[in-house]
Amino acid sequence: TTATLHCRQGMPEAMKMKREIGLIGGVAFISGTMIGSGIFMSPQFVLAYAGSPGASLLIWALCGVVSMFAAMSYTELGTLIPESGGEFIYILRIFGPFPAFFAAITSIVVVKPFGVAAVALGIAKYATAPFYVGCDPPQLLVKCVAAAAILTVAIINVMNVRIAVRIQVVFLVVKVLTLMIIVIGGIVALTQSQRVLVQNLNVDDAFKGTRYSFSTLGMAFYQGFWSYSGWSYLNRVIEELKKPQVNLPRAVVIAVSLVTSLYLLVNVSYLTVMTPKELISSSAVAVTWGNKVLGSWGWIMSLAVALSTFGTLNGSFFGDGRVCFVAAREGHMPEILSMVHVHRLTPCTALIFTTVASLLVLIPGDFQSIVNFHSICALFLFFLQVPIILPILVLIAAVFLVLAPIIDDPQIEYLYVTLFIFSGVLIYIPFIHYKLCPSLLTKLTIFLQLFLQVAPAEKNL
């Protein structure tokens, strides 16, 4: 048994992951995960779906408000249920194991890997953009670079928690500096010539061409929410957060406010130097902005965006691995995924699983389809929240964003998402509820324990 193996290796009976994240680290994990490829790649999609600059900015602002409401709801849950795992553990404690299993499967197999793959593609597109000026880089090259980024982050997170936290703080500084360059550059361009911004945002034309159909507005919000995704990541690692009752709400308010303000200013800067047509046609809007404002130094934006997005990938990977770890600890995934390395105290088996799943998603997907698929599944998880005013507002927004595009413009992808989520019942009933586990799985667990040097860990409460 795992307990026998644990004793034979001479390990202490109680293994716990250490609390390595303080307030600065918490702010870095939330805002550092939120600020990534989204703000550098989604603005053209939001504008294209919204149809006008005014509607586009309004959508960015509303996404920030809804994200703050949702983050505050999660803060309340995190202080009441101080266990890692995020939405999975809350659904488990409030509604029981059956709905929690569907949340775990949807999150671990779809939402997390799709999110990691999308961020990695963002890194790859910006890293290769300077070498393919005027045209898109080959898809094979982009995916190879994305795969390399995923593997690099995986190795960092498997090796050491403290290093992963420090990397997150350093790359948050890079992100904020990058966005401030765009904001300041927009201000300078505005003082030199107000023609483009006035044309884009004057009272008469700001909302001209706005598209009001449910499907287009829903897709615009999908792209916007993708850029804000990450506000819940600190809840997923709360057992590793110092003084969670104090630091969790503080980190949430600071991080989401910072990100919302920066996003609005950056979008205004984009519209200062580019027409809507130029912005929509750009495959990498920050690079287009850099070429217009910085001239021959425009390549700096590609490097800065790639580096800042790497921080998002690190934060995403850190939190996503913990959800898989906690689900396995609660018996909803194979036991081997609930174990930590006996020396490094990292959930290496869960991180390895997340790595493999993300690489599999990366093979057939492209950025836009991955983001849309990720958003649909992620918003599905927001349905189950505590019944108070802020979660109710989040619930209404989530219901609208999931159902409106399906009703207005049905697509086969929506059917695939629904079938996948509810197909989990075929796994839950025999293997989770009745615990029909073949002896082969037990032997495989013991073999992997010895090979990966992992052992069970207790909750750090």
Side-chain angles (χ1 to χ4, degrees):
T1 65
T2 56
T4 303
L5 176 62
H6 204 196
C7 293
R8 286 177 180 174
Q9 291 186 336
M11 297 303 299
E13 292 187 3
M15 288 185 61
K16 298 179 180 179
M17 291 189 290
K18 296 180 179 179
R19 295 188 182 272
E20 300 277 10
I21 307 173
L23 177 60
I24 295 177
V27 173
F29 265 106
I30 297 174
S31 55
T33 305
M34 292 174 73
I35 303 172
S37 60
I39 188 58
F40 304 115
M41 298 184 70
S42 291
Q44 60 265 44
F45 297 118
V46 174
L47 180 57
Y49 286 125
S52 68
S56 173
L57 289 178
L58 182 60
I59 287 172
W60 281 103
L62 288 175
C63 286
V65 171
V66 173
S67 296
M68 178 63 83
F69 287 170
M72 291 171 68
S73 302
Y74 262 50
T75 298
E76 181 183 5
L77 287 169
T79 54
L80 291 174
I81 308 174
E83 299 179 47
S84 294
E87 61 272 6
F88 163 75
I89 203 70
Y90 304 144
I91 294 173
L92 176 65
R93 297 291 176 249
I94 296 170
F95 298 103
F98 188 64
F101 174 76
F102 287 98
I105 289 294
T106 304
S107 178
I108 295 168
V109 181
V110 179
V111 177
K112 310 310 179 192
F114 273 71
V116 169
V119 174
L121 283 174
I123 296 173
K125 283 193 174 184
Y126 273 95
T128 56
F131 303 99
Y132 294 89
V133 180
C135 63
D136 293 331
Q139 280 296 307
L140 179 60
L141 175 62
V142 170
K143 291 187 177 183
C144 287
V145 174
I150 291 173
L151 290 172
T152 301
V153 169
I155 292 171
I156 292 171
N157 280 268
V158 167
M159 296 297 290
N160 193 289
V161 172
R162 186 171 298 176
I163 292 177
V165 174
R166 289 177 178 174
I167 286 176
Q168 195 67 14
V169 174
V170 171
F171 278 94
L172 173 62
V173 175
V174 175
K175 295 167 187 287
V176 173
L177 289 176
T178 301
L179 294 181
M180 288 307 300
I181 290 173
I182 297 176
V183 172
I184 294 172
I187 294 173
V188 172
L190 179 61
T191 59
Q192 294 175 349
S193 174
Q194 298 184 4
R195 180 180 58 83
V196 175
L197 181 63
V198 171
Q199 180 182 350
N200 288 343
L201 297 178
N202 68 70
V203 177
D204 295 329
D205 297 333
F207 290 89
K208 185 178 180 180
T210 300
R211 305 171 68 182
Y212 295 100
S213 70
F214 285 154
S215 61
T216 54
L217 288 178
M219 290 298 179
F221 274 103
Y222 283 168
Q223 293 292 330
F225 279 126
W226 161 252
S227 300
Y228 281 95
S229 62
W231 46 261
S232 64
Y233 270 71
L234 196 56
N235 290 62
R236 298 172 185 177
V237 298
I238 197 169
E239 291 178 33
E240 298 169 71
L241 177 66
K242 300 174 183 177
K243 299 179 180 178
Q245 303 290 334
V246 176
N247 287 332
L248 179 60
R250 288 180 180 177
V252 164
V253 172
I254 294 172
V256 179
S257 300
L258 172 67
V259 171
T260 303
S261 301
L262 285 174
Y263 279 7
L264 288 173
L265 292 172
V266 167
N267 274 278
V268 170
S269 178
Y270 288 154
L271 292 168
T272 300
V273 299
M274 286 182 280
T275 64
K277 184 177 180 180
E278 289 174 328
L279 201 154
I280 291 172
S281 61
S282 172
S283 60
V285 63
V287 172
T288 304
W289 182 95
N291 292 334
K292 280 182 166 289
V293 176
L294 304 178
S296 60
W297 290 91
W299 61 270
I300 292 178
M301 291 307 302
S302 297
L303 177 62
V305 172
L307 290 175
S308 65
T309 308
F310 184 83
T312 296
L313 185 62
N314 180 68
S316 300
F317 208 88
F318 191 98
D320 295 345
R322 269 59 177 181
V323 176
C324 181
F325 165 78
V326 173
R329 190 174 65 185
E330 297 294 333
H332 288 68
M333 296 289 287
E335 183 186 10
I336 188 65
L337 299 179
S338 69
M339 299 184 184
V340 299
H341 195 277
V342 294
H343 301 301
R344 306 183 187 280
L345 297 180
T346 58
C348 57
T349 52
L351 293 171
I352 292 172
F353 178 86
T354 302
T355 303
V356 174
S358 302
L359 292 174
L360 291 176
V361 168
L362 187 65
I363 295 173
D366 62 85
F367 179 79
Q368 188 172 1
S369 63
I370 285 176
V371 168
N372 289 339
F373 198 85
H374 169 274
S375 298
I376 293 171
C377 292
L379 288 168
F380 175 82
L381 297 180
F382 295 166
F383 282 174
L384 299 177
Q385 298 285 333
V386 290
I388 56 177
I389 184 63
L390 293 185
I392 288 174
L393 294 175
V394 177
L395 176 64
I396 293 172
V399 171
F400 169 78
L401 291 171
V402 170
L403 296 182
I406 297 176
I407 295 172
D408 191 67
D409 184 21
Q411 297 183 30
I412 192 66
E413 287 82 359
Y414 304 142
L415 178 61
Y416 292 158
V417 171
T418 304
L419 291 177
F420 175 83
I421 292 173
F422 289 101
S423 65
V425 69
L426 300 177
I427 301 175
Y428 178 84
I429 292 177
F431 298 109
I432 306 300
H433 183 71
Y434 290 106
K435 300 186 184 301
L436 298 178
C437 183
S439 58
L440 178 63
L441 184 59
T442 302
K443 295 179 181 178
L444 178 62
T445 299
I446 295 175
F447 168 77
L448 290 175
Q449 275 191 263
L450 293 169
F451 180 72
L452 298 173
Q453 298 186 51
V454 296
E458 291 188 359
K459 297 177 183 178
N460 191 14
L461 304 180

